[in-house]
Each structure stands twice: as C-alpha cells, then as structure tokens.
C-alpha cells in the first residue's frame, strides 16, 4: 500500500490553535475519567475498609495479568444522569487478559451506592454481555451489589432490555459454550443471585460474600424466619450445602488467585483468520491529530489526514478515488490487521452512497473487517437528488451496512447527524464496538438547524393566524432549543446514555482498535448474505 502524503502544515496558526483546543478537550476527558474511576466520598472508602473489601481498581489489578493492556468501556456512563452521583453507572466493564486468556470483565462498584443497580447500570451490564455474545468473549463477573435501586424499579425491571436481559444473556452465553466465572466479593441479592448461579464457575469470599434471593430482613418480613447472612447465603453454606458456589476463599486476594487458576484451565479457542502482517507504527505522529481536528465541527478537513495518523505505516490503498469523493473508501492496516475504511469527506450523495455499498460488499466477500470514521451531516436533500434516487441509493448503503457479516467498528470523529449516522454504521447497526472523540456530537440534526427549523415552524403557524413575532420572541423560542440540542448532542451526553462504548482520546484510537479487532476475531465470520437491494 502507498503511504498517504500529508498536506498538513504543522507550524500554521490554524494547526497550532486546533492543537491547543483539542489537547484541552483531551485533558478534560482524562480528568473526568480519573474522577469517575477514583473520586469517592471518604465515608464510602472507609466502609469498604471496615468490611475488609478492596477498592474496585485494586480488584482489577489483582485479577489481570501484570503488564497487559486493558480497554475500559463506557467509563463515563451516567456522567450526566442521577445528579452525577453514580460514576460509571456504578459498574466497570472492559476487555483484558487473565491467565493469558482474552476476557471481558463486568464488575459492580461497591463504592458507589453499595453497588446498587440503576437503570443505566443495567444497560451497561447488558451491553457488556452483548459484547461477549457478539465476540464470543469469556466473561468474569466481580459481584458486589446491593441489588436494584428500588425507587427507579420501573425503569430497570420489567421490559425486554431491563434486568432480566442480563440473565437471558448469561444463558445464551452458556448455550454458545462461552465460559463465565463469578467472583462473589459481597452480596448478590434478589435477581443478582442469578449471576453466580448462571455462571460455569463461582468463587465466594468467606465472611463478605453472600448469595440469596432475599436477604435476612426480607425473609423475616415474608416468612417470620430469623436467619443470619451466613446461614442464609454465606460461603460455607453455598459451597458445602446448596452447591450454588464452587470455591470458598479466605480473602479477596485468595479469591482472585483461585479465579486466575480457573481461567487458566479454559481452552483457548482458535481465532478467525483474516489478513495479518507484522504491524508498524504510523509514519506520521498520532499527536498531530490534535492539530488536524477543527475547533468547530462544521469546518471541512480531509479525513485522509486522520487515517494517516491511525493506520500502520500511514499506508492506504484508496478505492475509486475519483468517484463519489465525499466518501473515502480503501484498505489499511491497524496493528497488522487489514481493514476496510469508510470515512466521510462531506455529505453523502448518490454516487458516494453507491460507492460505499459496493465497497462494503467487497470487504465482506474477502473477510476484511470494516472501520467507519464518522464525520457526517447526512444524505443530500433537494429536488434534484430525490429525482436521482437519493433515498433509494442511501437505502442501498444502509442495506450493505446491515447485512455485512464481517466485524464492524465505528468512531465518531467529529460529528454524526441525521440519517448519515445510519449509513455510517451507527449504534443501531450493531458495530462490534463504537467510540466517540471528545469534540464530536450526534443528533437528528445540528443544534443550529434544529433551532432554525422549530423557530420557522412557529413563525409560519402564527403567520397563518395573522400574527408576527418580534426578534426577541423568535430568540425566546430559538435559544432554549439551541441550548438543549448542544447539551444533548455532546459526546458526554452520548456516552452518559451508553450510545457508544466510551469516549476515546484521539491518540489512543489505534491501540483501542487493535484490542477490539483482536477480541472480535474470537467469533466466526459468516458467509456474506444480503437482503433485496432496490436497483
């Protein structure tokens, strides 16, 4: 593959201003992530110490193989929900290496509301298990939860993708032959009791670990029976009487030693083979991404410059470079893995939509994973384009994205708006992993457009009634819409609601993608098969 020739002047005023702006965004991201991971009220840390419990991050360190990478997912889930009081949605999720095996880890954070499950906690756990199913990744559960947060039970209990989906997903993983291990470090109450019960293996810590459908207060209220935690669901009872747990542990450190030994017995599955060569670092410095990304997401720039800072050797074989130029398509390598890249260089027209659909089919046929780099305002609108069939051609791209059998990965680099999100493998189209960069946004349309549209609708409505609005009245309609859209299209709102798998510092993108591609290859790639394309 030929190396991309960069046209960037790294000494220009615009580059330096962009770099300062985007480094600031990256620093803000790191600060927020650090707070979500470690900042807790002292009373909660003291409570863990009294209970002889390790802090979640120390648990993670005890479990993972030393010196190996760990890709944490959705670190900032719920950062704009519940008054900011439930960092990480009270859960930790990520991909790492345990006893030489690639696994995904789900862990309750007992330093956040006793590990109680909020609605977004449930959503995060379900997403973790969806990833396990899609990629056939073994799962390790670190269990320490007070159970569902009862004041919000209506939003976490009864519906299809509420708490029951956790246990359904565990059952599907078992059906698929994907191993699961639970380490019971605290209470597994009510529905949470099913997590260890549905796992292939379970380790429980004596004195702090407990499994029961109803704790002692509930048992007394329901039956009048008085019973202690240990009698009802402690380690000795469950490992010698009920058989619900397999291994008692004297301490958390002992539990992690047992867990690592168990995982070490698991068979390492053969990975799906795709085109791979020895990796090489990008020729251009990834730090230059900060200077390339514009301060204003509406500013045009060449997405090839991003590819040059992510791809191995900054090499890229572009497909149909002179056709459908608002969508860049071509082959590159990420950590040695060959990938097909689709990157937006403007609005999607008829020709760029057709080009993208055809390129996806080519990649699908030769087992090449797909990487979508979103920077999209949508499909082109207007009389001319509708007559040429933009809806039909856009539907072809959507059909190809939906039907592709190879793993898909999506990065929202600068903005993703309108139906362009669909054509570029948004969340609804099941990319194996999806990430957002700090300055990116997503919504049905941009904030300015939404404010203008809604203001115009109101003005037209009043005009039909023979009334008109002053500039002040128009502003009173427009400004609240503008503020709401700006807030809700931000990367932090998207990740708070788990519309992605986390916000990435742009310079970390290549490493994150390497981990994700490797994880995805635990699952087989099916033969290409599509629905009907309207020709």
């Amino acid at each position: 593959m030929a190396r991309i020739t960069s046209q960037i002047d790294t000494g220009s005023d615009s580059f330096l201003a962009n770099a300062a702006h985007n480094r600031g965004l990256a620093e803000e991201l790191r600060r927020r992530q650090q707070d979500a991971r470690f900042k807790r009220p002292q009373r909660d840390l003291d409570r863990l110490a009294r209970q002889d419990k390790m802090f979640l991050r120390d648990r993670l360190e005890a479990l993972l193989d030393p010196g190996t990478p760990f890709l944490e997912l959705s670190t900032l889930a719920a950062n704009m929900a519940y008054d900011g009081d439930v960092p990480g949605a009270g859960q930790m999720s990520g991909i790492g290496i345990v006893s030489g095996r690639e696994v995904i880890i789900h862990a309750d954070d007992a330093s956040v509301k006793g590990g109680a499950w909020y609605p977004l906690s449930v959503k995060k756990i379900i997403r973790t298990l969806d990833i396990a199913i899609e990629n056939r990744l073994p799962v390790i559960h670190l269990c320490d939860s007070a159970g569902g947060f009862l004041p919000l039970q209506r939003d976490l209990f009864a519906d299809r993708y509420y708490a029951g989906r956790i246990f359904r997903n565990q059952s599907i993983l078992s059906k698929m032959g994907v191993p699961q291990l639970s380490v019971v470090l605290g209470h597994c109450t009510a529905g949470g009791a099913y997590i260890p019960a549905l796992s292939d293996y379970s380790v429980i810590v004596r004195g702090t670990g407990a499994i029961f459908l109803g704790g002692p207060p509930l048992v007394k209220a329901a039956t009048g029976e008085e019973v202690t935690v240990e009698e009802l669901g402690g380690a000795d009872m469950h490992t010698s009487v009920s058989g619900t747990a397999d291994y008692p542990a004297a301490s958390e450190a002992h539990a992690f030693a047992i867990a690592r030994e168990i995982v070490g017995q698991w068979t390492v599955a053969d990975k799906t083979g795709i085109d791979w060569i020895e990796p090489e670092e990008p020729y251009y410095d990834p730090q230059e991404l900060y200077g390339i990304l514009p301060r204003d997401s509406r500013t045009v720039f060449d997405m090839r410059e991003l590819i040059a800072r992510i791809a191995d050797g900054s090499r890229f074989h572009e497909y149909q470079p002179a056709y459908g130029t608002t969508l860049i398509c071509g082959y590159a390598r990420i950590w040695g893995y060959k990938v097909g890249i689709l990157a937006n260089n403007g609005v999607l027209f008829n020709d760029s939509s057709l080009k993208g659909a055809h390129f996806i089919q080519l990649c699908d046929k030769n087992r090449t994973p797909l990487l979508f780099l979103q920077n999209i305002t949508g499909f082109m609108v207007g009389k001319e384009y509708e007559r040429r069939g933009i809806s039909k051609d856009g539907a072809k791209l959507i059909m190809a994205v939906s039907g592709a059998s190879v793993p898909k990965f999506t990065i929202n680099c600068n903005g993703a708006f309108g139906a362009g999100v669909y054509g570029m493998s948004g969340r609804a189209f099941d990319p194996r992993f999806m990430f957002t960069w700090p300055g990116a946004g997503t919504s049905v349309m941009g904030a300015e457009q939404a404010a203008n549209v809604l203001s115009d609708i109101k003005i037209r409505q009043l005009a039909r009634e023979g009334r008109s609005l002053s500039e002040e009245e128009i502003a009173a309609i427009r400004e609240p819409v503008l503020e709401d859209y700006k807030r809700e299209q931000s990367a932090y709102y998207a990740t708070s609601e788990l519309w992605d798998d986390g916000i990435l510092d742009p310079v970390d993108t290549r490493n994150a993608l390497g981990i994700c591609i490797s994880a995805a290859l635990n699952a087989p790639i099916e033969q290409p098969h599509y629905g009907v394309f309207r020709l």
Side-chain angles (χ1 to χ4, degrees), residues 5 22 25 45 59 63 116 140 143 219 225 263 286 301 303 311 335 340 370 396 411 454 498 504 528:
T5 301
N22 287 303
L25 294 182
L45 299 177
R59 289 172 171 174
L63 178 64
I140 299 177
C143 306
V219 170
E225 180 183 13
V263 175
F301 67 100
M303 291 286 280
W335 278 100
L370 292 162
K396 293 185 182 74
I411 310 288
L454 292 174
L498 287 117
L504 284 179

Side-chain angles (χ1 to χ4, degrees), residues 274-309:
I274 65 169
D275 190 336
W276 183 86
I277 62 174
E278 285 293 327
E280 59 176 318
E281 293 293 319
Y283 177 77
Y284 298 104
D285 187 353
Q287 294 285 329
E288 292 174 358
L289 288 168
Y290 295 132
I292 295 166
L293 285 167
R295 285 154 284 165
D296 186 334
S297 64
R298 294 169 295 184
T299 302
V300 176
F301 67 100
D302 189 349
M303 291 286 280
R304 294 176 187 85
E305 299 289 355
L306 299 192
I307 296 170
R309 275 79 182 171

Side-chain angles (χ1 to χ4, degrees), residues 53-83:
K53 290 182 177 181
M54 299 166 68
F55 183 56
L56 175 58
R57 301 292 157 171
D58 298 321
R59 289 172 171 174
L60 183 63
E61 185 176 350
L63 178 64
L64 294 171
D65 289 1
T68 57
F70 179 71
L71 177 62
E72 186 169 353
L73 304 171
S74 300
T75 308
L76 296 176
N79 79 92
M80 293 177 71
Y82 317 127
D83 297 320

Side-chain angles (χ1 to χ4, degrees), residues 108-189:
D108 300 311
D109 188 344
S111 69
V112 178
K113 310 296 184 182
W117 290 355
Y118 283 68
L120 286 172
S121 314
V122 169
K123 189 174 184 180
K124 185 170 178 177
I125 299 168
I126 291 170
R127 174 58 187 153
T128 303
L129 296 178
D130 282 343
I131 290 171
I133 290 169
E134 292 165 356
N135 302 288
R136 298 202 177 184
L137 280 175
V139 184
I140 299 177
H141 304 273
L142 305 185
C143 306
D144 191 353
S145 173
F149 185 67
L150 294 180
L152 297 179
Q153 65 84 27
R154 68 184 181 279
D155 295 321
L156 60 82
F157 174 67
D159 207 354
R160 182 178 183 183
Y161 291 101
Y162 288 179
R165 193 75 175 186
I166 297 170
F167 316 124
R168 175 265 186 194
N169 279 3
Q170 283 192 270
S171 302
I172 295 299
L173 283 165
S174 185
K175 178 181 176 180
M176 294 169 61
V178 178
Q180 296 177 75
L181 162 66
S182 284
V183 185
V184 181
L185 303 156
H187 287 190
C188 295
T189 306

Side-chain angles (χ1 to χ4, degrees), residues 202-359:
S202 59
V203 180
I204 183 169
V205 178
R206 185 177 284 114
T208 56
I211 305 168
F212 31 58
L213 294 178
L218 180 60
V219 170
K220 187 174 192 316
T223 69
E225 180 183 13
E226 294 194 7
V227 62
T228 67
V229 167
E230 288 299 310
E231 292 169 333
L232 186 63
D236 290 327
M237 192 283 288
H238 276 311
T239 56
S240 64
V241 178
S242 76
T244 301
D246 304 316
Y247 304 89
S251 64
E252 292 198 7
H254 185 208
F256 289 122
I258 296 171
R260 289 179 50 79
E261 189 170 340
I262 292 168
V263 175
Q265 312 307 310
W266 291 351
T267 301
V268 178
D270 293 333
K271 290 200 174 191
T272 295
I274 65 169
D275 190 336
W276 183 86
I277 62 174
E278 285 293 327
E280 59 176 318
E281 293 293 319
Y283 177 77
Y284 298 104
D285 187 353
Q287 294 285 329
E288 292 174 358
L289 288 168
Y290 295 132
I292 295 166
L293 285 167
R295 285 154 284 165
D296 186 334
S297 64
R298 294 169 295 184
T299 302
V300 176
F301 67 100
D302 189 349
M303 291 286 280
R304 294 176 187 85
E305 299 289 355
L306 299 192
I307 296 170
R309 275 79 182 171
I310 295 172
D312 287 17
S314 303
R315 302 181 191 280
F316 184 60
H317 173 83
E318 189 166 351
Y319 173 73
Q320 289 191 321
Y323 177 72
T325 55
T326 60
L327 182 64
I328 298 168
C329 299
Y331 299 103
R333 293 187 183 273
I334 305 289
W335 278 100
Y337 297 109
K338 182 180 176 183
V339 296
I341 297 178
L342 294 91
N344 302 116
N345 246 19
V347 67
L348 286 167
F349 290 91
N350 299 73
D351 54 1
S352 47
S353 301
L354 293 171
K355 172 181 170 179
H358 187 72
F359 181 69

Side-chain angles (χ1 to χ4, degrees), residues 447-469:
E448 293 283 348
Q449 294 94 324
N452 290 339
V453 166
L454 292 174
S455 299
D456 189 55
I457 290 172
K458 187 67 175 177
I459 291 167
R460 288 172 182 269
Q461 177 187 352
L462 292 173
R464 287 194 296 270
E465 299 171 0
R467 298 171 57 196
S468 62
L469 292 174

